[in-house]
């Protein structure tokens, strides 16, 4: 029996006809959660519909999109009416949507919100618990897929910014059921290495389902309990995961995580040069200040040098001696002048000077002057003083 050989196109056409002719698949209602909803400039909408275990790619053309009564977004629970058909060019089947009705939030997104609320109440997202990133890390650990674009981006940024930074790659799964456990193991392994100063937890872009491995409770606690600060660079800027909320710093992309964590070598060198200049200026100022102080102390020591002090004191003593001599001589002269003046006065009033004129002075035996006849009559012994001497005499009164 000969079996007909298909071309790829003919096989895809056959499968497409099978889908289109199937009664159920041509008019089907499907419930699920919206993911990766994107509206094209043409007006068409492309997205995925998923549940806890599976997903299907969907397309809704612009005419049907215009009839929607709400604005679809990721995480919405919806019921879709449409048909299953094959996209010939890619050979993939998808759900072509005619109607979409809002059913609430999807189970996967609700699970994410529930865990987020729980961990937030426990304080795992609190800024107080965030560890600061090192300013100049010497060794950085990277937890990501060893074959992914995220690692290449991080390494490119690191080489460009600072080739001196040591990078320690800790390979881990970043998708699939074992991914969370693999990353938890990587965090604990890097924490056991003493000189690792920071950790980048990274993965490139992906759908909500692919990034959902970062919404794991055990991974969240491993990040929170890490002694080494962790910066997350997961997906794109619009993607948020539990790991982002718990990490010490959240970067919008893996490349941005490296940009934030790895300082430019040129900036470091400029910073060092700036401080070197400041240090030089500070040392020069300190030397000048110290020299000035030493010079002042030297002058003080010279001023208070014992030899200088003694010499200065000799001069001071001589000055005092001269001053005392001048004062004493002045006082002596002044007193001599006063005595001379008094002497002249005494001489002018000295009764003895009258004797030089031929007069004489009579005194009693006690040298009291006799100045009357009556006094004389009462004296027997008298003294007569003349200019050339004194003689004793007896008075005989008749």
């Amino acid at each position: 029996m000969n079996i007909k050989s298909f071309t790829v196109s003919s096989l895809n056409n056959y499968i497409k006809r099978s889908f289109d002719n199937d009664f159920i698949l041509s008019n089907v209602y499907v419930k699920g959660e919206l993911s990766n909803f994107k509206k094209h400039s043409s007006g068409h909408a492309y997205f995925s519909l998923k549940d806890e275990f599976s997903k299907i790619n969907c397309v809704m053309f612009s005419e049907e999109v215009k009839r929607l009564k709400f604005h679809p977004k990721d995480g919405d629970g919806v019921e879709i009416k449409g048909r299953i058909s094959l996209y010939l060019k890619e050979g993939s089947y998808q759900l072509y949507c005619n109607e979409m009705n809002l059913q609430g939030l999807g189970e996967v997104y609700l699970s994410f919100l529930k865990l987020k609320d729980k961990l937030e109440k426990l304080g795992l997202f609190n800024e107080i618990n965030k560890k600061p990133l090192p300013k100049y890390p010497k060794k950085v650990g990277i937890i990501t897929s060893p074959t992914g674009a995220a690692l290449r981006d991080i390494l490119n940024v690191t080489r460009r910014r600072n080739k001196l930074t040591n990078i320690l790659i800790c390979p881990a799964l970043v998708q699939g059921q074992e991914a969370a456990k693999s990353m938890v193991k990587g965090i604990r392994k890097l924490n056991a290495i003493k000189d690792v100063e920071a950790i980048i937890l990274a993965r490139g872009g992906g759908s909500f389902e692919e990034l959902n491995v970062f919404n794991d409770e055990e991974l969240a606690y491993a990040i929170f309990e890490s002694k080494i600060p962790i910066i997350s660079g997961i997906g794109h800027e619009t993607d948020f995961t539990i790991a982002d909320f718990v990490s010490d710093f959240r970067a919008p992309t893996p490349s941005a995580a490296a940009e934030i964590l790895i300082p430019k070598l040129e900036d470091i060198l400029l910073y060092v040069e700036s401080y070197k200049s400041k240090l030089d200026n500070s040392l020069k100022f300190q030397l000048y200040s110290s020299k000035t102080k030493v010079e002042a102390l030297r002058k003080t020591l010279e001023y208070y040098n014992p030899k200088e002090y003694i010499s200065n004191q000799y001069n001071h003593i001589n000055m005092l001696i001269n001053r005392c001599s001048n004062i004493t001589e002045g006082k002596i002269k002044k007193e001599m002048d006063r005595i001379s003046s008094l002497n002249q006065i005494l001489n002018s009033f000295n009764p003895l000077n009258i004797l030089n004129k031929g007069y004489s002075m009579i005194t009693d035996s006690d040298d009291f002057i006799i100045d009357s006849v009556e006094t004389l009559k009462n004296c027997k012994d008298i003294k007569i003083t003349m200019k050339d001497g004194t003689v004793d005499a007896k008075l005989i009164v008749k």
Side-chain angles (χ1 to χ4, degrees):
M1 180 180 178
N2 293 326
I3 301 175
K4 183 179 178 181
S5 177
F6 287 96
T7 63
V8 174
S9 297
S10 61
L11 179 60
N12 280 347
N13 273 302
Y14 178 81
I15 296 172
K16 184 179 186 313
R17 285 195 300 272
S18 298
F19 280 139
D20 293 342
N21 293 327
D22 187 282
F23 175 77
I24 295 176
L25 297 182
S26 62
N27 190 29
V28 65
Y29 286 83
V30 186
K31 290 182 178 180
E33 179 181 333
L34 290 180
S35 177
N36 295 323
F37 189 93
K38 294 177 182 177
K39 193 173 179 181
H40 196 267
S41 57
S42 62
H44 305 328
Y46 301 91
F47 54 94
S48 298
L49 194 65
K50 67 178 181 179
D51 58 20
E52 188 176 355
F53 303 104
S54 188
K55 75 170 183 175
I56 184 172
N57 292 328
C58 307
V59 60
M60 192 173 204
F61 296 119
S62 58
E63 290 302 317
E64 284 77 19
V65 172
K66 290 177 183 177
R67 289 198 295 269
L68 289 174
K69 297 179 181 180
F70 68 102
H71 297 288
K73 63 181 183 300
D74 290 352
D76 284 343
V78 295
E79 182 181 59
I80 291 176
K81 178 186 176 184
R83 60 185 177 86
I84 303 294
S85 187
L86 190 79
Y87 181 43
L88 288 172
K89 187 176 179 180
E90 297 292 334
S92 59
Y93 76 91
Q94 53 191 12
L95 176 59
Y96 292 83
C97 307
N98 299 322
E99 297 178 10
M100 182 189 296
N101 295 307
L102 186 65
Q103 299 288 309
L105 294 174
E107 289 298 323
V108 177
Y109 192 68
L110 281 173
S111 177
F112 163 75
L113 292 179
K114 184 177 179 182
L115 179 60
K116 179 178 178 292
D117 184 61
K118 173 186 175 182
L119 297 180
E120 187 172 15
K121 288 178 179 177
L122 291 172
L124 269 70
F125 306 160
N126 200 318
E127 287 295 325
I128 296 174
N129 298 319
K130 304 290 185 185
K131 295 176 285 295
L133 299 177
K135 201 168 184 179
Y136 304 107
K138 295 178 182 177
K139 181 178 282 189
V140 174
I142 301 174
I143 300 174
T144 190
S145 169
T147 59
L151 179 59
R152 292 195 299 274
D153 292 342
I154 292 171
L155 292 178
N156 287 336
V157 171
T158 303
R159 291 191 196 101
R160 173 170 51 83
R161 291 179 69 83
N162 191 345
K163 293 181 179 180
L164 299 180
T165 303
N166 292 321
I167 299 297
L168 183 60
I169 301 170
C170 186
L173 298 174
V174 291
Q175 63 182 29
Q177 292 183 353
E178 298 299 317
K181 290 182 180 179
S182 177
M183 288 184 282
V184 169
K185 186 178 178 181
I187 292 171
R188 291 171 180 167
K189 185 183 292 185
L190 289 176
N191 269 264
I193 302 172
K194 292 182 178 179
D195 58 346
V196 174
E197 298 176 60
I199 296 172
I200 296 177
L201 180 63
R203 183 211 146 97
S207 64
F208 181 86
E209 297 80 22
E210 292 170 328
L211 298 180
N212 196 42
V213 296
F214 292 92
N215 297 324
D216 181 83
E217 187 170 359
E218 184 183 0
L219 177 60
Y221 275 103
I223 295 171
F224 181 76
E225 293 167 359
S226 172
K227 294 179 181 179
I228 302 171
I230 295 178
I231 178 171
S232 64
I234 301 166
H236 301 296
E237 190 169 359
T238 56
D239 298 319
F240 283 90
T241 67
I242 297 295
D244 289 314
F245 294 120
V246 185
S247 293
D248 299 294
F249 195 92
R250 185 248 175 189
T253 63
S255 298
E259 292 275 355
I260 292 166
L261 186 60
I262 310 299
K264 282 186 176 180
L265 183 58
E266 295 87 343
D267 293 343
I268 296 174
L269 294 176
L270 286 174
Y271 184 73
V272 171
E273 189 62 31
S274 171
Y275 264 84
K276 180 179 177 294
S277 178
K278 288 180 180 179
L279 183 60
D280 287 343
N281 292 334
S282 177
L283 285 173
K284 288 177 182 177
F285 176 78
Q286 290 293 333
L287 287 172
Y288 175 78
S289 178
S290 298
K291 185 178 179 181
T292 304
K293 287 180 180 178
V294 168
E295 184 63 23
L297 290 172
R298 186 186 66 78
K299 289 181 179 180
T300 303
L301 286 173
E302 285 182 357
Y303 181 79
Y304 288 103
N305 187 307
K307 291 182 179 179
E308 293 292 328
Y309 180 76
I310 292 171
S311 176
N312 290 336
Q313 290 304 309
Y314 275 126
N315 293 333
H316 184 63
I317 290 169
N318 290 332
M319 182 187 71
L320 292 175
I321 290 172
N322 291 332
R323 186 184 297 175
C324 287
S325 297
N326 293 334
I327 293 172
T328 303
E329 289 176 1
K331 285 188 175 183
I332 291 172
K333 185 178 182 302
K334 183 179 179 181
E335 290 301 316
M336 288 179 69
D337 291 342
R338 188 175 69 86
I339 291 170
S340 177
S341 176
L342 291 173
N343 188 51
Q344 289 177 3
I345 294 171
L346 285 174
N347 286 334
S348 65
F349 289 99
N350 190 347
L352 297 176
N353 289 336
I354 299 174
L355 300 178
N356 293 325
K357 296 179 181 181
Y359 295 96
S360 63
M361 184 176 64
I362 303 172
T363 60
D364 62 13
S365 58
D366 294 321
D367 293 330
F368 286 106
I369 296 172
I370 298 171
D371 56 359
S372 68
V373 174
E374 290 296 324
T375 304
L376 182 62
K377 289 178 179 181
N378 294 324
C379 295
K380 293 181 180 181
D381 296 322
I382 59 174
K383 295 179 181 179
I384 300 171
T385 303
M386 287 177 274
K387 69 175 182 179
D388 57 349
T390 300
V391 296
D392 294 326
K394 285 186 180 287
L395 181 64
I396 300 174
V397 179
K398 293 180 178 182

